[in-house]
Amino acid sequence: MYPVTDTLQRPLRDLRISVTDRCNMRCTYCMPREAFGKNFVFLQRAELLGFEEITRLARLFVGLGVRKLRLSGGEPLLRHGVERLIEQLARLEDDRGRPVEVALTTNGTLLAAKAHSLKDAGLTRLTVSLDALSAEVFRKMSDSGVAVGRVLDGIAAAQAVGLAPVKVNTVVKRGVNEGEILPLVRHFRLSGVILRFIEFMDVGTTNGWRLDDVVTAQEILERIDRAHPLRPVDPNYVGEVAKRWAFVDGGGEIGVIASVTQAFCHECTRLRLSTDGRLYTCLFANEGYDLRSPLRGGEGDQHLRERVVALWSRRGDRYSQLRHDATALPVKKIEMSYIGG
Ligand code: SF4
């Protein structure tokens, strides 16, 4: 039955699961306060997939070839009892009895208190978003009063419990935090943390994206290479989103995620499940496929599986490759905070 491939022969390998649409920060490139202010109506509890529902669907996806499950949000650590879900997912195995990878992307604000329980629950990979070390720049990017130290404490706690290598994602926005690139590199070099710089993306329709605000991967690498010479490193696997670079002096590794200037759609193996049970075949999709209704309507696994196979088989998304061809692009795009990055 698998691997299930789409119209561009890309296999279904990764499932990103959003477990909440809520967040305790308002990062300007993801959840700008103007759009997600105090009157914004978030999903109600009954609308969210329960942990048993998520696990049942995840088991079904693993049966179709998915090898990595990544939990995201909003902020996934806001979802009460998320460790219980991780325990359930960590028990899933592929057809050769190998456990699937269970990863999580967090803003790190709740991580220091939860690192232990996440590790004990079976989490295998952790990514923390951190866009600056300077308090002022961090405030500008996150539009929140959270202290940078809280996120750094979370990263240290995750490393201490063995959730290594911790990856740190930094979205770079021109005129706001490109000055943080070298301070972040200096802070995390030699620490075992893998720092990844992300080109500012036109996700959703609320973050005011302009191409002029994009600091390109090439600019980022040149800036780092001048201070700390780099050499390219082969990908860990086909479809790895970040391009890997290592410090020539052995100081560790960094990555760049260049969706704007070096599109990687040709290797995209990711499907996204929203917290209310809709499937999205691309981060820049404009509509999702409702799986919650048939699931709650009592449909059996075989029929649910056929729905997923049919959806993926007709998939042709390659938004980033088409980004510069305005005629080929959807006008309304789903918000990243709803389906996870
Ligand atoms: S733009 Fe869409 S198809 Fe391309 S890599 Fe991103 S999620 Fe995949």
Side-chain angles (χ1 to χ4, degrees), residues 6 8 10 201 241 259 263-272 280-285 315-323:
D6 69 9
L8 302 174
R10 300 170 294 187
M201 291 184 285
V241 173
S259 164
F264 36 79
C265 303
H266 59 291
E267 290 183 340
C268 180
T269 58
R270 293 171 291 283
L271 188 59
R272 292 170 167 85
Y280 292 85
T281 52
C282 175
L283 177 59
F284 301 90
R315 176 190 187 234
D317 300 83
R318 53 195 190 94
Y319 176 92
S320 287
Q321 286 174 343
L322 301 172
R323 176 182 280 110

Side-chain angles (χ1 to χ4, degrees), residues 145-196:
V146 171
V148 177
R150 209 166 133 190
V151 180
L152 294 174
D153 291 349
I155 294 167
Q159 285 189 294
V161 300
L163 276 168
V166 173
K167 293 180 178 167
V168 167
N169 281 358
T170 300
V171 173
V172 184
K173 197 173 173 185
R174 193 180 301 284
V176 186
N177 69 331
E178 68 266 44
E180 293 291 305
I181 293 171
L182 288 180
L184 283 160
V185 165
R186 280 193 286 273
H187 182 88
F188 287 114
R189 259 169 52 80
L190 306 165
S191 73
V193 165
I194 298 176
L195 197 49
R196 289 117 54 94

Side-chain angles (χ1 to χ4, degrees), residues 160-237:
V161 300
L163 276 168
V166 173
K167 293 180 178 167
V168 167
N169 281 358
T170 300
V171 173
V172 184
K173 197 173 173 185
R174 193 180 301 284
V176 186
N177 69 331
E178 68 266 44
E180 293 291 305
I181 293 171
L182 288 180
L184 283 160
V185 165
R186 280 193 286 273
H187 182 88
F188 287 114
R189 259 169 52 80
L190 306 165
S191 73
V193 165
I194 298 176
L195 197 49
R196 289 117 54 94
F197 294 99
I198 304 179
E199 290 181 341
F200 175 36
M201 291 184 285
D202 50 335
V203 287
T205 52
T206 61
N207 70 5
W209 185 83
R210 301 177 314 145
L211 189 56
D212 292 348
D213 296 335
V214 174
V215 178
T216 68
Q218 187 171 348
E219 288 175 84
I220 294 168
L221 289 168
E222 284 169 2
R223 185 181 286 235
I224 300 170
D225 187 59
R226 280 195 296 273
H228 306 282
L230 295 166
R231 62 177 174 78
V233 180
D234 292 337
N236 289 306
Y237 55 88

